[in-house]
Amino acid sequence: MRTGIFVGSFDPFTIGHDAIVRRALPLFDKIVIGVGVNERKKYLYSAHVRVRKIEALYAGEPRVEVKAYTDLTVDFARREGAEFIIKGVRSIKDFEYEREQADINRKIGGVDTILFYAEPQFESVSSSMVRELIHFGKDVSEFLPAGR
């Protein structure tokens, strides 16, 4: 069984994240969405809430599981039996960061990374942008998957 992990803080999980999962699904028997928890970061939503919202989105898709994790991504990948880490990139800045992470993850964990480039309509959508809009009371429904 070919398993990939799609990891991030997903605070919140956006339409761009959903697009990456749906594009990656044909490549894998199972995708585990790893909701990262970093004690040094402040989140809008708790890990429990983030996991439950993403689970609800994929309730009809048995190939998707959602789990929170607090350790290194390569350790999470190993526990899940994942052969690949799935990441999305929106810009050259994202690419450089993800390239460095992919190199380290391969060196210390033997796990390769597959990058999906954001579709043009999602290039400006980010969790941090959505959090900022929420903070100022704006409607963010167009940036979140339907039913979220």
Side-chain angles (χ1 to χ4, degrees):
M1 178 187 304
R2 186 169 298 245
T3 301
I5 59 168
F6 181 48
V7 296
S9 58
F10 304 126
D11 186 35
F13 194 83
T14 70
I15 55 176
H17 296 130
D18 182 49
I20 297 295
V21 171
R22 297 194 188 279
R23 288 170 55 203
L25 268 170
L27 301 176
F28 296 95
D29 299 305
K30 178 171 86 169
I31 292 177
V32 180
I33 299 174
V35 176
V37 179
N38 181 337
E39 61 190 36
R40 294 181 306 268
K41 285 179 86 172
K42 183 178 178 195
Y43 296 103
L44 181 62
Y45 300 108
S46 70
H48 177 77
V49 168
R50 288 179 279 153
V51 167
R52 296 297 168 246
K53 285 183 176 208
I54 299 168
E55 282 177 334
L57 180 62
Y58 295 102
E61 178 50 75
R63 296 174 297 161
V64 175
E65 294 179 14
V66 186
K67 299 179 180 180
Y69 74 103
T70 59
D71 53 345
L72 290 174
T73 297
V74 293
D75 294 331
F76 178 66
R78 202 173 292 124
R79 264 196 323 281
E80 295 303 320
E83 300 170 69
F84 297 96
I85 298 168
I86 301 162
K87 296 295 285 192
V89 294
R90 294 169 293 141
S91 66
I92 193 70
K93 180 180 166 188
D94 284 355
F95 176 80
E96 285 298 324
Y97 175 79
E98 295 301 345
R99 184 193 57 75
E100 290 173 3
Q101 292 299 305
D103 186 42
I104 294 299
N105 289 333
R106 189 174 44 259
K107 284 178 182 173
I108 67 171
V111 181
D112 272 315
T113 300
I114 296 175
L115 297 178
F116 283 84
Y117 294 97
E119 295 168 273
Q121 67 269 31
F122 304 130
E123 287 177 350
S124 63
V125 178
S126 69
S127 292
S128 57
M129 180 269 302
V130 173
R131 282 193 310 275
E132 184 78 1
L133 292 172
I134 290 170
H135 174 77
F136 287 102
K138 299 300 181 186
D139 177 15
V140 296
S141 57
E142 71 180 288
F143 305 115
L144 302 176
R148 292 274 325 278

